[in-house]
Amino acid sequence: MADIIQLLPDHVANQIAAGEVVQRPASVVKELLENAIDAKAETIKLLVKDAGKTLVQVIDDGVGMSVTDARLSFERHATSKIRSAEDLFQLNTKGFRGEALASIAAIAHVELKTKQAQEEVGTAITIEGSEIVNQDVVVTPTGTSIAVKHLFFNIPARRNFLKSNTVETRHIIDEFQRVALAHPSISFVMYHNGSEVFNLPQSNYRQRIVNIFGTKTNEKLVPVNEDTDVLKISGFVGKPEYAKKSRGEQFFFVNNRFIKSAYLNHAITAAFDGLIKDGTHASYFLNLEVNPQTIDINIHPTKTEIKFDDEHTLYAILRASVKHSLGQFNIAPVLDFDRDANLDTPYDYSNKSASTPTIEVDRTFNPFDTEPRVEPSRTTSSSSSSPSSFSGRKPASTSSWESLYVGMESKGTKSQNDFSEIQFESVESTASLFDDSQISSKQSSYQLQNKYVLSAIKSGMLVVDQNRAHQRILYEDFLRYITGKDTVSQQLLFPLQIQLSKQEHDIVLSLKSDLEYAGFVFQNFENQMVEIIGLPINVPESEVSIILEQLISDVEHEVPDANFSAADLLAKSLSKSLAIKSGQSLTQTEQDHLVNSLFACKDPNVSPKNKPTFITMTVDELDKKFM
Ligand code: ADP
Ligand code: MG
């Protein structure tokens, strides 16, 4: 029988191999960025067009390549990074297989420009489907620029397999963020279709996280640091109250390389056990440093999985140090109202009779008195306690007193200002409620059952329903935008495409101009598909489809009557969707802000659906209850 085995031609072999390395434009982004880092670049620029389908270009200011290396770099197994198999165990570079450029060149049009510092001129090479079509001497800055165009031009099946631009762009941003997070000391910029998406200056790790994920992230971060013989950990975890429904912000880097590890992720979950709600995920940005000899990163072609020699130990250290950080920074809750009351009394005391607590009152104490006092006279409400037991204590000085209230005082001052505004704007009942500057300067609020916000007012107590109150606030905001037409919107980096049925499409279309006044910006409105490029300032991108769904169902269920107004309906629907829900815990600032904003409303008493937003209880009423 004749021999039937044939060697595949190189370009076919390259195309097949390319499938392993390049799944989508984001894979090209990753490989090119990593090469730039290996080349010791200090500044890296990523340019993307059409979600990488038309162009992915990375420009670096690294070491560049000689003419020979430039040509060789596209050969399979051409790498400058390892010389022998032993080197594999001491790897400090991202790449080492020498197949990324060869693979990319097999399935795209690639333009390389590169120059080394000591050279006057550089080299330009153009390759299409593994064929070198041009080579030139060029004037180019030191470093390397690689432009990858028309990815999968010669493999239509792969090209068709690519997802929508939104999805592919998401993948690119994911890769970009991972690389940028692992290298805060390198500056990165990313442009998509000519507009800047990220501009990340050289910084420390915390700043890099904040630059990528937004200024608000800063207050969420709790540092984690651990240094043991087998493992060094540095980085941050997100405070439990910021846990998210999505797994978005979870990053492990091992020796500066992003990795996925369900096992290590579990260690973090275990550390957060009991601190976050089921179904939510803590964020983390953790760098693990281990001896490169104890890991095998070679087990997966895209190298995001990793094998550790001693996973159990790493797990234990990781869990313990995250727990420790959460405890140290006082993140674990201090008060827990759902606790079993039996646990509160130590066993030894459970059968003893309670002794009368004593209250000490310093009647001479005046917080506004800036002169330090010599010795206050103290009285105590209980004769069983001897005043002499306090004599050794120094009186609280004004400065230390102030320090206790710094945060609250400023809040109090602010709320006073806000409340004074109310007296002009709001209906009578509110004005009378807060007459004669009743709010004490230390006024602060308290959240009950994650549902009500309680505030002390001079006449007694104010109980605000957080959900209804927020609906009222948002409702008036939206009405103002829609009717006043002073629209505020945030532009999206990438258009958001939403598929609708014919009927849904018609409903949204009928509200289009009101939606636009509310802050939505539509780019395309055809074929049962809407493309949104701008959103009202307080609408999170992730919630848009839910909000539209709600809106459509509200319109469908609305019984049109004489008073029907599309603007009103839209404002009601949006405020319902976006309002803080019951069950959501609010920080002190958020509580104060909610109360202040409610009473800055035109009609603070009722929700958009005419339900009470708050009740008050006067001291008289309370007194009666104690009779
Ligand atoms: P690997 O990174 O695994 O070595 P690649 O195919 O990604 O393989 O790159 C091949 C070689 O080309 C690298 O080893 C390096 O010497 C060179 N090279 C690639 N990109 C750059 C760059 N941006 N700057 C300098 N040299 C580069
Ligand atoms: Mg490489």
Side-chain angles (χ1 to χ4, degrees):
M1 200 175 155
D3 296 337
I4 53 171
I5 294 181
Q6 292 186 12
L7 277 177
L8 287 173
D10 265 0
H11 72 274
V12 179
N14 278 342
Q15 276 189 17
I16 294 170
E20 234 197 34
V21 181
V22 185
Q23 280 111 26
R24 50 177 16 124
S27 332
V28 175
V29 168
K30 174 175 192 281
E31 295 296 339
L32 296 186
L33 290 177
E34 291 190 344
N35 279 347
I37 290 164
D38 284 346
K40 306 193 169 49
E42 287 173 6
T43 301
I44 300 177
K45 224 188 246 178
L46 168 65
L47 312 178
V48 175
K49 280 200 185 129
D50 301 325
K53 293 170 186 173
T54 312
L55 173 76
V56 172
Q57 181 172 15
V58 170
I59 304 166
D60 70 52
D61 60 355
V63 296
M65 287 179 262
S66 67
V67 189
T68 326
D69 282 353
R71 269 195 94 107
L72 256 182
S73 66
F74 292 102
E75 297 287 326
R76 185 156 302 278
H77 306 307
T79 178
S80 53
K81 299 167 193 172
I82 55 170
R83 304 245 174 257
S84 68
E86 276 83 67
D87 291 349
L88 271 179
F89 301 98
Q90 296 292 351
L91 269 174
N92 286 314
T93 55
K94 309 272 160 199
F96 56 86
R97 294 159 163 253
E99 57 187 4
L101 287 188
S103 300
I104 294 167
I107 49 167
H109 296 177
V110 179
E111 290 168 21
L112 164 77
K113 278 186 196 165
T114 187
K115 185 180 94 65
Q116 294 179 306
Q118 70 276 17
E119 303 291 336
E120 286 287 302
V121 286
T123 310
I125 292 178
T126 310
I127 288 200
E128 294 177 1
S130 300
E131 302 265 328
I132 297 198
V133 296
N134 189 38
Q135 177 171 345
D136 249 330
V137 175
V138 288
V139 176
T140 182
T142 297
T144 304
S145 154
I146 300 185
V148 177
K149 299 178 176 171
H150 313 303
L151 189 65
F152 299 131
F153 78 100
N154 51 359
I155 320 181
R158 295 295 303 276
R159 198 171 168 85
N160 295 336
F161 192 68
L162 292 177
K163 298 278 182 356
S164 72
N165 281 6
T166 319
V167 173
E168 294 302 339
T169 309
R170 189 65 250 166
H171 283 289
I172 290 177
I173 289 182
D174 283 347
E175 290 296 353
F176 177 85
Q177 289 181 340
R178 291 167 184 176
V179 174
L181 276 173
H183 300 276
S185 60
I186 299 176
S187 92
F188 288 89
V189 252
M190 172 177 170
Y191 286 88
H192 189 214
N193 293 335
S195 27
E196 186 180 279
V197 184
F198 290 101
N199 188 341
L200 311 172
Q202 228 188 6
S203 63
N204 63 27
Y205 192 43
R206 189 177 192 122
Q207 288 164 331
R208 177 57 53 95
I209 296 172
V210 170
N211 286 337
I212 294 180
F213 295 102
T215 352
K216 276 198 192 148
T217 321
N218 199 20
E219 69 197 53
K220 305 181 191 174
L221 301 177
V222 181
V224 180
N225 284 297
E226 190 64 71
D227 195 347
T228 70
D229 288 344
V230 281
L231 172 67
K232 274 193 193 136
I233 307 173
S234 63
F236 302 89
V237 293
K239 291 181 187 166
E241 65 260 38
Y242 294 106
K244 294 189 153 193
K245 289 236 164 62
S246 73
R247 290 179 174 274
E249 296 171 8
Q250 300 191 323
F251 297 89
F252 279 126
F253 299 92
V254 173
N255 299 356
N256 289 332
R257 187 191 296 273
F258 172 82
I259 60 126
K260 287 182 189 153
S261 165
Y263 186 70
L264 294 185
N265 177 64
H266 192 272
I268 309 283
T269 315
F272 273 90
D273 194 28
L275 296 179
I276 58 176
K277 269 188 270 166
D278 282 353
T280 62
H281 306 276
S283 339
Y284 54 83
F285 310 86
L286 293 170
N287 299 306
L288 314 185
E289 229 179 284
V290 297
N291 180 341
Q293 299 195 11
T294 65
I295 51 175
D296 179 4
I297 38 177
N298 204 7
I299 56 170
H300 194 272
T302 56
K303 294 169 282 182
T304 54
E305 275 156 34
I306 200 167
K307 224 166 103 36
F308 297 98
D309 286 353
D310 188 1
E311 279 195 331
H312 293 298
T313 311
L314 299 193
Y315 182 101
I317 299 175
L318 188 58
R319 192 181 77 154
S321 43
V322 171
K323 263 193 124 132
H324 176 75
S325 286
L326 290 174
Q328 197 180 16
F329 288 88
N330 250 336
I331 305 301
V334 186
L335 293 171
D336 184 352
F337 294 106
D338 294 332
R339 242 166 78 189
D340 183 345
N342 292 326
L343 298 175
D344 286 344
T345 317
Y347 294 120
D348 290 352
Y349 289 88
S350 54
N351 293 320
K352 293 186 183 166
S353 62
S355 59
T356 324
T358 63
I359 302 166
E360 46 161 326
V361 180
D362 176 2
R363 294 190 189 281
T364 63
F365 179 58
N366 174 3
F368 301 104
D369 182 359
T370 46
E371 292 297 314
R373 284 159 304 139
V374 187
E375 179 67 57
S377 67
R378 288 174 187 274
T379 55
T380 136
S381 71
S382 162
S383 55
S384 67
S385 162
S386 128
S388 67
S389 62
F390 297 110
S391 58
R393 273 215 254 150
K394 281 182 82 181
S397 78
T398 311
S399 61
S400 66
W401 172 84
E402 273 175 350
S403 70
L404 284 175
Y405 289 100
V406 202
M408 290 165 83
E409 257 230 310
S410 62
K411 258 175 244 150
T413 319
K414 179 165 170 282
S415 55
Q416 241 181 354
N417 293 340
D418 290 353
F419 279 110
S420 57
E421 238 178 79
I422 302 164
Q423 292 166 1
F424 308 117
E425 284 193 9
S426 55
V427 293
E428 247 181 65
S429 65
T430 338
S432 65
L433 185 63
F434 296 102
D435 252 344
D436 10 273
S437 63
Q438 301 186 345
I439 311 299
S440 88
S441 63
K442 274 182 281 164
Q443 182 253 341
S444 195
S445 46
Y446 173 78
Q447 194 184 21
L448 184 67
Q449 302 267 341
N450 288 341
K451 192 172 177 196
Y452 297 109
V453 176
L454 315 189
S455 281
I457 49 174
K458 193 168 177 198
S459 62
M461 180 172 79
L462 170 74
V463 184
V464 174
D465 180 319
Q466 64 185 44
N467 171 258
R468 288 183 191 169
H470 198 215
Q471 283 195 38
R472 161 57 57 185
I473 297 163
L474 292 173
Y475 171 72
E476 293 200 3
D477 281 346
F478 278 118
L479 268 191
R480 205 167 43 244
Y481 298 151
I482 300 170
T483 54
K485 325 238 174 270
D486 55 344
T487 314
V488 198
S489 50
Q490 46 169 334
Q491 212 194 329
L492 296 180
L493 294 176
F494 309 110
L496 206 77
Q497 294 170 338
I498 295 175
Q499 288 291 338
L500 301 168
S501 72
K502 175 83 180 71
Q503 195 192 0
E504 292 169 340
H505 184 263
D506 290 347
I507 291 177
V508 178
L509 189 62
S510 71
L511 291 169
K512 183 165 177 260
S513 62
D514 284 322
L515 281 165
E516 283 169 344
Y517 285 127
F520 285 87
V521 184
F522 298 97
Q523 171 161 275
N524 248 318
F525 220 104
E526 53 205 24
N527 291 334
Q528 301 175 24
M529 204 266 293
V530 288
E531 205 167 71
I532 300 173
I533 56 167
L535 290 176
I537 214 93
N538 44 6
V539 173
E541 192 176 339
S542 55
E543 298 210 35
V544 174
S545 49
I546 303 171
I547 288 166
L548 283 184
E549 233 172 77
Q550 180 67 51
L551 177 66
I552 290 163
S553 119
D554 285 350
V555 175
E556 281 172 334
H557 294 102
E558 177 75 40
V559 187
D561 60 16
N563 297 324
F564 177 84
S565 135
D568 184 67
L569 186 137
L570 177 62
K572 276 187 182 143
S573 177
L574 291 178
S575 58
K576 184 168 75 189
S577 295
L578 290 164
I580 298 162
K581 308 284 181 292
S582 292
Q584 186 169 332
S585 112
L586 302 178
T587 64
Q588 189 65 57
T589 325
E590 289 167 334
Q591 295 169 28
D592 291 349
H593 189 68
L594 184 81
V595 176
N596 292 340
S597 310
L598 175 66
F599 290 104
C601 283
K602 288 218 166 63
D603 191 3
N605 302 32
V606 288
S607 75
K609 286 266 164 77
N610 266 327
K611 300 263 178 53
T613 50
F614 67 89
I615 56 153
T616 55
M617 195 174 262
T618 61
V619 176
D620 283 351
E621 287 170 308
L622 280 169
D623 286 345
K624 282 197 192 109
K625 292 209 184 280
F626 284 100
M627 299 241 256

